[in-house]
Amino acid sequence: DNVYQEATRMHVDYLTKQRCGNTTLGWRGEPCHIDDGKRLDNGTHQDVSGGWHDAHDVRKWTGATIYGIIGLYRVAEVLQPTWDTGQIVNEMQWGNQYFSKMQEPEGYMMNYSAGNDGNYWSDNIIGNDDDRPIHTEPSSLTAQFNFINTQAAMVRHTIPISKSYAKSCEKAAKKCLEWAKEQPVGAEELGSGIIASISMYRSFKDKAMMNLAAEYAKKLIGLQVTSAIDTEIPVRGFFKSRPGSDDPFKHISRGDLPLIGLCELREEFPKHKDAGKWKAALQMYCYDYIVPMTKLSAFGIMPYGLYYGSDPGGNRRLGNSDYYYRYSFRDPAATRGWHVGINSLLASTG
């Protein structure tokens, strides 16, 4: 039962080593980037210190690193590790200080501070030329739903510690949700929206959140291709990327959110009137899309995704259809031939 205990602890400890801000627990062992940052829209200083560095660098994306909190709360809720005596919630709060500071009054979370243009160590003095830039435009809608998800989770995990802190997270989640509900959505956003709505329901038991999750699921299923696209290889069940597009949904670094969202929905509300439709959509996706696509590989590997109408490179056509597939992600900017790999795709599909 405890076989994953030490492995998950190493991942939690990794996040601690990635700490940015006024801490001695990060990789450097001393405070860093206390002067983050300078808004690009008006040039003024705004405190967005804290949080985590991205990876082997000192950038602070919102869309990517917010998965740290999601991973932490899932370790706490699913595995309930025996070694955890408060470390997980403490690390969640450290990371969350950054995301909270990046929320604008309109409700959305800004894109990032210190991206490629701020990937350096600063002098920790506010107001001079090395203050790192804050990209103030909204982060992706998936990131917004992940912010809602994490704030709801923060409520569940911090209310025994500080009711006022939990209340501030609740306010942040609801404010962001009001903004997010007005934005156009595709398959990825609908998947993340389902997960966020379920997280809100778990924290507040608000039936409106169950209804919102079901509404997003209905829209997602409306994007599902239900007819076989080829007679030789009868693939169906995948999702179009968004309404009005024939381009199939593909993901590279955020996981198969439509699949995960429908799974969570089915588990959370098994008696819902639409539960049968969710199950049917999952079955079609798994047995009529994932299974035949993995059979194309001697190793059972799920390809990165389908492309409609043109060969993206690799000369892999799906039977006699107008669809092509490839195993690696090709950078649309064509500045390099690949980007990050497919581990998250394989893990989420599994």
Side-chain angles (χ1 to χ4, degrees):
D1 290 342
N2 295 329
V3 67
Y4 292 115
Q5 293 283 337
E6 188 57 31
T8 52
R9 186 169 189 169
M10 290 174 67
H11 283 75
V12 173
D13 290 345
Y14 166 81
L15 285 169
T16 302
K17 288 295 183 184
Q18 291 292 81
R19 283 189 178 189
C20 178
N22 192 14
T23 177
T24 59
L25 299 180
W27 179 77
R28 275 186 114 187
E30 60 184 26
C32 67
H33 300 121
I34 299 173
D35 48 353
D36 282 353
K38 182 188 293 183
R39 293 179 64 102
L40 285 180
D41 57 353
N42 57 26
T44 62
H45 172 79
Q46 180 169 329
D47 178 17
V48 293
S49 60
W52 299 301
H53 297 137
D54 176 55
H56 63 287
D57 51 60
V58 293
R59 297 175 292 183
K60 295 200 301 186
W61 314 109
T62 56
T65 52
I66 200 165
Y67 284 96
I69 295 183
I70 295 174
L72 287 167
Y73 91 70
R74 287 187 182 277
V75 167
E77 294 181 358
V78 177
L79 297 180
Q80 300 175 348
T82 55
W83 50 261
D84 180 30
T85 57
Q87 298 99 309
I88 291 179
V89 172
N90 181 268
E91 201 58 49
M92 287 168 63
Q93 287 182 291
W94 183 270
N96 195 49
Q97 63 175 309
Y98 171 62
F99 304 114
S100 298
K101 291 174 180 178
M102 290 291 284
Q103 186 178 26
E104 288 284 80
E106 294 86 349
Y108 63 80
M109 182 175 59
M110 291 185 288
N111 200 355
Y112 58 92
S113 70
N116 294 334
D117 53 358
N119 191 15
Y120 53 80
W121 300 106
S122 65
D123 62 9
N124 289 332
I125 300 172
I126 295 172
N128 57 21
D129 289 341
D130 77 346
D131 290 8
R132 303 198 298 171
I134 305 171
H135 291 250
T136 55
E137 71 278 3
S139 192
S140 71
L141 187 55
T142 294
Q144 308 298 338
F145 280 125
N146 286 338
F147 179 72
I148 296 160
N149 175 8
T150 58
Q151 298 315 295
M154 293 300 299
V155 172
R156 296 196 294 275
H157 289 272
T158 62
I159 199 165
I161 303 170
S162 171
K163 290 183 178 179
S164 61
Y165 181 86
K167 193 67 179 178
S168 68
C169 294
E170 177 183 354
K171 182 180 178 181
K174 291 180 176 178
K175 184 75 172 177
C176 188
L177 181 59
E178 289 305 308
W179 182 88
K181 286 193 298 185
E182 301 302 317
Q183 311 307 312
V185 289
E188 179 179 281
E189 295 84 5
L190 289 167
S192 59
I194 291 169
I195 297 168
S197 302
I198 292 172
S199 187
M200 292 285 283
Y201 178 83
R202 288 173 180 161
S203 295
F204 309 116
K205 304 304 178 186
D206 184 354
K207 189 176 179 180
M209 295 298 97
M210 177 185 69
N211 294 337
L212 182 60
E215 177 187 337
Y216 283 150
K218 183 178 180 179
K219 291 180 179 180
L220 176 62
I221 292 172
L223 294 176
Q224 192 168 34
V225 175
T226 57
S227 298
I229 60 176
D230 183 65
T231 55
E232 180 183 341
I233 306 174
V235 169
R236 64 174 187 159
F238 58 90
F239 299 101
K240 295 180 180 180
S241 60
R242 57 188 59 255
S245 172
D246 289 321
D247 184 44
F249 164 70
K250 295 179 283 292
H251 68 93
I252 191 62
S253 61
R254 291 178 288 277
D256 199 330
L257 297 178
L259 176 62
I260 295 170
L262 286 174
C263 286
E264 288 204 7
L265 194 59
R266 173 75 182 178
E267 291 178 349
E268 190 73 24
F269 307 114
K271 297 182 179 180
H272 191 279
K273 64 181 180 64
D274 291 337
K277 296 178 181 178
W278 306 335
K279 180 179 179 180
L282 279 167
Q283 286 178 317
M284 190 186 304
Y285 190 90
C286 291
Y287 297 128
D288 297 342
Y289 174 51
I290 292 178
V291 170
M293 293 302 292
T294 54
K295 286 182 177 178
L296 298 173
S297 163
F299 301 99
I301 293 175
M302 186 68 187
Y304 163 55
L306 289 171
Y307 294 77
Y308 178 75
S310 61
D311 182 4
N315 192 32
R316 292 186 174 92
R317 188 172 183 173
L318 193 67
N320 295 311
S321 73
D322 293 325
Y323 290 85
Y324 297 80
Y325 65 97
R326 61 178 294 133
Y327 287 97
S328 60
F329 172 80
R330 182 175 177 82
D331 187 346
T335 55
R336 53 182 178 242
W338 57 274
H339 177 66
V340 306
I342 58 172
N343 280 347
S344 69
L345 182 150
L346 299 181
S348 58
T349 302

